């Protein structure tokens, strides 16, 4: 019993530190505080617009909170102004309501409030449907400002959670699925491979596209959580390391899908025979097995800021790639010898070897460092060019000729 209680307490403490739990507590606190403040400042008996705004404003990251607060306040103010104009000109009828909604949706797109376009029409309808338009309009704007202000204050006092951990876990899971596929290909290449069996692996490789899209969404959330976050000093470096790492895995996933296509074509060309000779198949299996380990080691390396084992992961990756390349050279000699016995398949043999080379090259430590440095240089040039454009614009506005 004491062990169960202590285990439960440990799980609860762990959950309290998770981003989802932290975000739920922050949102709840912001909504309650904004409602209490609105009760004192607004004349509405139930100022629910304030907690609603707080819930929408207190997003999972500080960067999205700032942008959401601006769009939310903008949408409410625009909706209120439209409602005031309609109340002065036509009042509330069935046809004026239709015009009001149409005008609100069109203006919402023009002022670029994004996901809050319906909020423009909602605010306009709520204000137009009351007798004292001016008072209700002021209360709605006030409640929106209260909710936005409280949401921003909560973000400043309670730092938003970092989503680097979940993004790193998503990248690791993607690498694990790619590794399993590589191992399956190596295991099933022995003996006669049926076309249906090869096609099933091809479909498994195609499903990696959806996995990459899900990881990309998690990574975008992590990148937003690093922007303007006071707890992060090297946010740009973290973002670029994860982003370039995912780019590499995405390229490997595409090449892996093409390799599965090549093996499927080989299975179609040899329905009653093994895909390759026994010795060649064993060499291919060794290459795929070590490549599978290298993929997982690469994922551990790029998520080192959350796993804290970068040196071990890099050493493991370098070692596995070295063994994989040695087996690749042996595989190339065997494939060349097999072409003499079956010249018709030389294109598929060459394609399979080229696909293996591409994956090994993308996973290399040098290639990763080169891609990371290119992204850092690109970001630095973008910031410098942006600052230069701003300075030239200010000089032009002051009437100073450009140098």
């Amino acid at each position: 019993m004491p062990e169960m209680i202590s285990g439960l307490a440990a799980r609860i403490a762990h959950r309290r530190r998770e981003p989802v739990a932290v975000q739920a507590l922050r949102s709840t606190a912001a909504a309650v505080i904004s409602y209490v403040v609105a009760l004192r400042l607004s004349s509405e008996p139930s100022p629910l617009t304030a907690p609603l705004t707080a819930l929408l404003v207190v997003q999972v990251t500080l960067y999205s909170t700032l942008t959401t607060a601006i769009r939310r306040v903008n949408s409410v103010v625009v909706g209120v102004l439209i409602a005031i104009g309609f109340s002065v000109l036509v009042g509330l009828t069935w046809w004026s309501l239709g015009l009001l909604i149409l005008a609100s949706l069109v203006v919402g797109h023009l002022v670029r409030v994004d996901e809050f376009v319906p909020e423009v029409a909602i605010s306009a309808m709520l204000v137009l449907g009351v007798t004292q338009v001016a008072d209700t309009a002021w209360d709605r704007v006030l409640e929106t400002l209260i909710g936005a202000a409280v949401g921003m204050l909560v973000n400043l006092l309670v730092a938003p959670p970092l989503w680097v951990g979940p993004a790193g876990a998503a990248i690791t899971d993607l690498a694990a699925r790619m590794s399993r596929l590589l191992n399956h290909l190596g295991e099933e290449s022995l003996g006669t491979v049926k076309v249906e069996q090869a096609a099933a692996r091809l479909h498994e490789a195609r499903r990696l596209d959806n996995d990459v899209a899900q990881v990309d969404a998690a990574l975008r959330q992590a990148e937003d959580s690093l922007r303007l976050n006071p707890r992060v000093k090297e946010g740009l470096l973290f973002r670029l390391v994860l982003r370039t790492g995912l780019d590499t895995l995405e390229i490997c996933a595409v090449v892996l899908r093409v390799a599965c296509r090549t093996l499927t074509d080989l299975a179609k060309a040899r329905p009653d025979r093994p895909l390759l000779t026994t010795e060649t198949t064993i060499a291919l299996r060794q290459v795929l097995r070590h490549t599978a380990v290298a993929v997982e080691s690469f994922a551990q390396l790029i998520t080192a800021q959350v796993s804290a084992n970068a040196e071990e992961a890099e050493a493991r990756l370098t070692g596995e790639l070295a063994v994989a390349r040695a087996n690749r050279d042996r595989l190339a000699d065997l494939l060349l010898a097999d072409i003499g016995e079956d010249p018709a398949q030389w294109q598929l043999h060459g394609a399979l070897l080229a696909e293996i080379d591409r994956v090994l090259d993308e996973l290399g430590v040098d290639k990763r460092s080169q891609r990371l440095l290119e992204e850092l240089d690109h970001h630095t040039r973008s910031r410098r060019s942006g600052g230069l454009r701003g300075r030239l614009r200010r000089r032009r506005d002051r009437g100073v000729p450009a140098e």
Side-chain angles (χ1 to χ4, degrees):
M1 183 62 69
E3 290 79 5
M4 294 179 59
I5 296 175
S6 60
L8 179 61
R11 285 194 296 272
I12 293 175
H14 175 70
R15 290 288 182 184
R16 288 178 59 189
R17 293 191 296 268
E18 288 187 350
V20 174
V22 174
Q23 174 61 21
L25 293 175
R26 293 169 64 249
S27 298
T28 302
V32 172
I33 294 173
S34 62
Y35 181 74
V36 172
V37 174
L39 281 175
R40 294 181 176 273
L41 300 180
S42 176
S43 60
E44 289 289 325
S46 299
L48 294 177
T49 302
L52 174 61
T53 302
L55 285 175
L56 294 174
V57 167
V58 182
Q59 300 297 307
V60 294
T61 68
L62 182 59
Y63 177 77
S64 58
T65 295
L66 288 170
T67 56
T68 301
I70 295 173
R71 292 196 303 270
R72 168 75 177 178
V73 173
N74 191 20
S75 66
V76 172
V77 172
V78 170
V80 167
L81 293 177
I82 293 175
I84 293 176
F86 267 77
S87 66
V88 173
L89 296 176
V90 295
L92 178 60
T93 61
W94 66 268
W95 58 269
S96 66
L97 178 62
L99 287 177
L100 175 74
I101 295 174
L102 178 61
S104 300
L105 295 177
V106 172
V107 174
H109 285 287
L110 292 177
V111 297
R112 297 182 180 181
V113 292
D114 297 339
E115 73 272 22
F116 292 117
V117 168
E119 180 68 21
V120 179
I122 293 172
S123 299
M125 286 189 295
L126 291 177
V127 173
L128 187 62
V130 299
T131 56
Q132 297 179 344
V133 174
D135 294 338
T136 303
W138 163 248
D139 288 334
R140 185 161 178 80
V141 172
L142 177 62
E143 292 168 18
T144 302
L145 292 174
I146 291 173
V150 171
M152 293 300 303
L153 184 61
V154 168
N155 270 328
L156 293 176
L157 297 179
V158 183
L162 293 175
W163 293 84
V164 178
I171 291 176
T172 303
D173 291 341
L174 172 63
R177 287 190 287 271
M178 295 173 61
S179 177
R180 284 196 297 269
L181 178 58
L182 286 166
N183 284 319
H184 291 161
L185 291 174
E187 294 169 359
E188 294 176 356
S189 60
L190 292 174
T192 303
V193 179
K194 297 181 179 180
V195 176
E196 296 80 6
Q197 190 177 13
R201 292 305 173 196
L202 177 59
H203 288 302
E204 183 178 350
R206 287 171 177 167
R207 286 195 294 269
L208 290 174
D209 291 339
N210 295 330
D211 298 334
V212 170
Q214 295 174 0
V215 176
D216 181 69
L219 183 53
R220 285 198 302 270
Q221 186 179 56
E223 289 172 339
D224 285 346
S225 71
L226 292 170
R227 292 190 178 101
L228 306 179
N229 197 308
R231 295 189 296 168
V232 179
K233 296 182 179 179
E234 298 293 338
L236 173 62
L237 182 59
F238 284 174
R239 295 202 309 269
L240 294 182
V241 167
L242 292 177
R243 175 57 62 184
T244 54
L246 178 59
D247 291 342
T248 297
L249 290 178
E250 184 176 6
I251 293 173
C252 292
V254 173
V255 178
L256 184 56
R257 184 174 70 246
V258 177
C260 290
R261 176 79 264 178
T262 301
L263 292 174
T264 303
D265 292 340
L266 274 173
K268 291 179 180 179
R270 300 179 175 182
D272 300 323
R273 293 181 298 167
L275 297 182
L276 304 167
T277 62
T278 302
E279 190 176 4
T280 305
T281 301
I282 293 175
L284 175 62
R285 185 177 185 180
Q286 291 296 321
V287 172
L288 296 178
R289 184 170 66 87
H290 289 286
T291 304
V293 179
V295 169
E296 293 190 88
S297 300
F298 180 84
Q300 293 176 1
L301 177 61
I302 63 176
T303 58
Q305 63 265 32
V306 275
S307 59
N309 58 352
E311 294 183 0
E312 179 182 351
E314 183 173 349
R316 186 184 182 191
L317 173 62
T318 303
E320 293 296 335
L321 288 177
V323 177
R325 288 192 177 100
N327 284 278
R328 177 265 172 211
D329 294 338
R330 181 168 174 267
L331 174 64
D333 295 336
L334 294 172
L335 286 174
L336 183 60
D338 292 344
I339 290 176
E341 300 178 2
D342 192 0
Q345 307 304 326
W346 70 270
Q347 287 181 316
L348 293 177
H349 287 190
L352 180 61
L353 193 63
E355 290 145 12
I356 292 174
D357 288 342
R358 181 64 186 275
V359 172
L360 296 178
D361 179 64
E362 290 293 333
L363 295 175
V365 177
D366 294 338
K367 187 66 172 288
R368 169 183 172 271
S369 301
Q370 177 186 355
R371 180 170 290 149
L372 182 58
L373 288 175
E374 290 174 353
E375 288 297 323
L376 285 170
D377 291 340
H378 174 72
H379 184 271
T380 302
R381 289 194 302 269
S382 299
R383 292 186 61 182
R384 288 177 178 175
S385 62
L388 178 60
R389 285 194 298 269
R391 289 194 297 270
L392 292 176
R393 190 181 300 111
R394 289 191 295 270
R395 291 171 64 92
R396 181 193 62 195
D397 295 339
R398 295 195 305 266
V400 179
E403 295 178 0

